[in-house]
Amino acid sequence: MVVMLLSVSIICGQSEKSPSAFAYQSPIVQKVIFDDSVMLAQERHNYATNLATYAANLVSTKKASKESLESARRILALALHLERRNKQAVVVNFQLREGVIPEIKKGDYNPRTFARLLMTRAKLLLKSNNDNESERLLARCFIELAAHIDPRNEDAVFEYENQRIDSGELDWRVLTDAGRDKPSRAPGAEEPPG
């Protein structure tokens, strides 16, 4: 009788978990790429929080689809590189890792406004006269995200397509797998095929 009850509780426990379970791989961020040389701490905090909120809402509205989870991993990696201990990014990353779909939260900006803000900040990063690779990488990330967040923003889409033509696809593994042993290469550059 005890074995039978135990078997039933195990089966019920599995059935409760499997419909909501999904595969999410946390980004690996051992050392942040973006520091005070790129943006001041408060600005990095604000971007990280809003990126994490956007990622959580994306996964929630898309019901944890494979594509939304891949996008969330990239966005959360960027947020964690902007501020390693950002509360919203850490919480959302944990929830996804545990198979919990985050609750929808109201962010500081609607998606269209956030895309415009990312584009404006990317242009400022690209205008700086120094050869800071981190600034260029962050600008590329912001441009790509702006185009995907608001595909009706023609300026964002145009800049994104131009950067793809000029520099190829952004290698998000620089952010999502920061700390893994990889061949040395410039940030954001594609690995050679092989």
Side-chain angles (χ1 to χ4, degrees):
M1 180 74 167
V2 173
V3 174
M4 189 173 178
L5 288 174
L6 185 58
S7 299
V8 169
S9 67
I10 290 171
I11 291 169
C12 289
Q14 288 174 348
S15 65
E16 285 177 18
K17 205 165 189 179
S18 57
S20 64
F22 49 81
Y24 172 76
Q25 180 185 4
S26 289
I28 298 168
V29 180
Q30 292 178 352
K31 184 179 179 207
V32 297
I33 295 174
F34 309 116
D35 55 19
D36 286 337
S37 68
V38 177
M39 275 187 212
L40 296 177
Q42 185 59 46
E43 188 179 14
R44 290 194 325 271
H45 169 77
N46 290 338
Y47 277 102
T49 299
N50 282 289
L51 285 164
T53 300
Y54 176 79
N57 292 344
L58 176 68
V59 171
S60 294
T61 57
K62 300 287 186 181
K63 297 182 180 14
S65 70
K66 182 179 177 184
E67 295 79 19
S68 70
L69 291 169
E70 288 172 10
S71 293
R73 183 173 191 258
R74 291 175 176 184
I75 294 167
L76 290 171
L78 177 57
L80 292 168
H81 277 286
L82 287 168
E83 186 180 47
R84 182 63 184 99
R85 294 180 191 270
N86 180 274
K87 181 179 180 179
Q88 179 73 355
V90 169
V91 168
V92 171
N93 190 53
F94 176 85
Q95 289 173 337
L96 294 177
R97 193 175 62 232
E98 293 297 310
V100 175
I101 296 178
E103 291 183 11
I104 292 181
K105 280 191 170 182
K106 183 169 172 45
D108 293 339
Y109 311 99
N110 67 44
R112 292 184 74 195
T113 303
F114 190 40
R116 285 196 300 271
L117 180 66
L118 290 171
M119 272 305 298
T120 301
R121 192 61 177 100
K123 287 178 181 178
L124 289 173
L125 287 166
L126 292 172
K127 276 186 181 177
S128 68
N129 292 328
N130 62 13
D131 289 329
N132 188 328
E133 286 183 31
S134 294
E135 284 183 0
R136 285 196 307 274
L137 174 61
L138 184 56
R140 287 192 71 192
C141 292
F142 279 2
I143 289 168
E144 183 170 328
L145 288 177
H148 288 290
I149 289 170
D150 183 12
R152 289 193 172 104
N153 181 330
E154 293 182 6
D155 290 336
V157 171
F158 182 71
E159 288 299 322
Y160 169 60
E161 288 300 321
N162 277 326
Q163 85 180 11
R164 277 185 351 103
I165 291 167
D166 294 342
S167 306
E169 291 286 345
L170 180 62
D171 184 2
W172 281 90
R173 292 175 296 179
V174 171
L175 299 176
T176 60
D177 297 315
R180 281 204 175 139
D181 293 331
K182 289 190 165 201
S184 179
R185 66 183 189 291
E190 281 288 316
E191 275 188 359

